């Protein structure tokens, strides 16, 4: 699109929105300040770089065999940098413990340490971005029985407690080095395929294990703890120890961050509606923005009503400052860099739309009891010229406008990924 046309479209949109009391320049400032955390695991199908890296387990499955997957930390960094260059704004990167650089040595999960992430920290520093982190409580022989922190064997529990403790230290080291707190998010796969006889035991053990994991106080300027619940996993359809209610209770009691993953609820349940409930009782939340499709909770994020609802809640409740935005999906059937770009641009696009809506007017009309006008305005807003503002934002942030980013990915695929 020609620069002159881009500017002209923006000026017309600005005028239209100004008529509704919306300041588009201010929206662009706000939008530019929102960081997303790009998840490492889209880049290599949740593989990681451990020596004897086991098969993906924990009820997670990455389907597809699109060529060109990153095989080394350097390849993954190159792919991620390529994706980041096509996403407007300054973002973050979210690592799993299994993505450390272990120099060809076997370093078991309870031995991981900040030194294994030196390369990642240096890379993040060079890009001027922050890092987030996750213990990896799956794809490991000690997780094969389907239980980790809630395992009935004390020694196995101890192993995973040590792993999570080590991960919090790594998170704090990252946050300290990069001058921006790392969110360290604990998710475990523990659960059962068929009806359990004892739902209570594992949950009480999990609560105890978490107490041990979090016993050491860390400076919140360096590390923030989050806990993520789930409804079910593949092979764990009947019982999930760490369900949403469990972690909500734990987080409220101990003032931890609750991680809400959009793919982790009943299909007709709306994650967006939980945000203003949870934030009444915990200081901050982490979102795993994802898309559930039937049994899979991790399809690439598209611009759906569900996604818009999440963005609308964050904007209308003024929750962006208390929300850490992470992406969580893995698709091995399409170009993996493109998957990152599509998902990230969609979340930003949804936020752009939500910020541009005349939501202050909706709220005023609601207070006045004029529900007719509220509905009328909400519907009209759907076809306001918000895409002109989005395009202008991309140009301003020196990211590709519209579908032109796809040519960059195709070039990268031909020159770099297809040579792997
Ligand atoms: C799994 C959780 C979790 C994982 C990542 C890889 O269902 O959503 O966040 O996707 O830790
Ligand atoms: Zn998740």
């Amino acid at each position: 699109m020609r620069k002159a046309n881009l500017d002209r479209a923006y000026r017309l949109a600005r005028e239209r929105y100004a008529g509704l009391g919306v300041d588009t320049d201010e929206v662009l400032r706000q939008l530019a300040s929102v960081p997303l955390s790009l998840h490492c695991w889209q880049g290599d199908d949740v593989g990681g770089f451990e020596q004897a890296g086991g098969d993906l387990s924990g009820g997670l499955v990455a389907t597809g065999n699109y060529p060109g997957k990153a095989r080394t930390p350097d390849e993954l960094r190159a792919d991620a940098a390529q994706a980041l260059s096509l996403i407007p704004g300054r973002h973050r990167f979210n690592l799993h413990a299994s993505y450390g650089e272990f120099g060809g040595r076997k370093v078991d999960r309870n031995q991981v340490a900040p030194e294994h992430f030196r390369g990642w920290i240096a890379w993040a520093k060079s890009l001027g971005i922050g890092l987030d982190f996750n213990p990896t409580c799956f794809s490991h022989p000690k997780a094969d029985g389907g239980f980790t922190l809630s395992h009935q064997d004390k020694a196995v529990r101890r192993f995973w407690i040590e792993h999570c403790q080590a991960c919090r230290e790594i998170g704090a080291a990252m946050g300290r080095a990069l001058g921006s707190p790392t969110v360290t998010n604990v998710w475990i796969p523990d659960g059962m395929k068929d009806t359990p006889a004892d739902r209570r035991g594992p949950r009480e053990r999990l609560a105890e294990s978490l107490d041990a994991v979090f016993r050491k106080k860390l400076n919140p300027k360096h590390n923030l703890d989050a806990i993520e619940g789930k409804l079910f996993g593949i092979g764990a359809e009947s019982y999930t120890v760490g369900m949403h209610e469990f972690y909500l209770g734990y987080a409220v009691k101990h003032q931890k961050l609750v991680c809400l993953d959009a793919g982790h609820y009943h299909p007709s349940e709306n994650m967006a509606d939980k945000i203003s409930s949870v934030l009444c009782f915990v200081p901050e939340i982490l979102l795993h923005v994802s898309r559930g499709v039937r049994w899979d909770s991790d399809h690439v994020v598209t611009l759906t009503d569900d996604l818009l609802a999440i963005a609308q809640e964050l904007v209308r409740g003024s929750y962006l400052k208390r929300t850490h935005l992470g992406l969580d999906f893995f698709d091995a059937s399409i170009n993996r860099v493109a998957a990152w770009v599509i998902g990230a641009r969609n979340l930003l696009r949804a936020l752009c739309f939500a910020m541009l809506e005349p939501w202050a007017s909706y709220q005023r009309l609601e207070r006045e009891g004029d529900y007719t006008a509220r509905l009328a305005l909400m519907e009209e807003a759907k076809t306001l010229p918000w895409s002109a503002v989005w395009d202008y934002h991309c140009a301003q942030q020196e990211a590709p406008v519209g579908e032109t980013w796809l040519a960059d990915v195709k070039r990268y695929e031909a020159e770099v990924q297809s040579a792997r």
Side-chain angles (χ1 to χ4, degrees), residues 7-82:
D7 291 349
R8 189 155 2 146
Y10 177 67
R11 276 199 306 278
L12 291 172
R14 181 168 60 189
E15 196 182 305
R16 181 84 166 88
Y17 277 107
L20 291 161
V22 176
D23 179 346
T24 56
D25 291 336
E26 178 52 30
V27 163
L28 290 183
R29 263 190 296 279
Q30 272 180 35
L31 188 59
S33 75
V34 178
L36 309 185
S37 198
L38 204 67
H39 54 312
C40 69
W41 53 93
Q42 166 58 59
D44 74 336
D45 317 337
V46 211
F49 304 119
E50 286 167 321
Q51 248 330 68
D55 287 343
L56 181 56
S57 77
L60 309 175
V61 185
T63 53
N65 54 1
Y66 199 86
K69 146 169 112 175
R71 298 159 304 177
T72 65
D74 282 335
E75 289 181 356
L76 187 60
R77 283 191 277 265
D79 290 0
Q82 175 65 28

Side-chain angles (χ1 to χ4, degrees), residues 41 46 60 96 134 138 185 187 228 230 261 264 288 297-298 328 330:
W41 53 93
V46 211
L60 309 175
H96 246 280
N134 305 262
F138 50 84
N185 176 51
W187 172 75
E228 176 183 11
K230 192 172 181 178
D261 182 311
H264 287 189
H288 270 186
S297 62
D298 300 288
D328 183 7
F330 32 101

Side-chain angles (χ1 to χ4, degrees), residues 213-234:
V213 167
F214 297 130
R215 190 153 297 134
K216 181 164 172 194
K217 293 268 162 298
L218 295 175
N219 186 341
K221 287 205 174 88
H222 302 150
N223 181 77
L224 296 167
D225 300 308
I227 45 184
E228 176 183 11
K230 192 172 181 178
L231 184 61
F232 75 94
I234 305 303

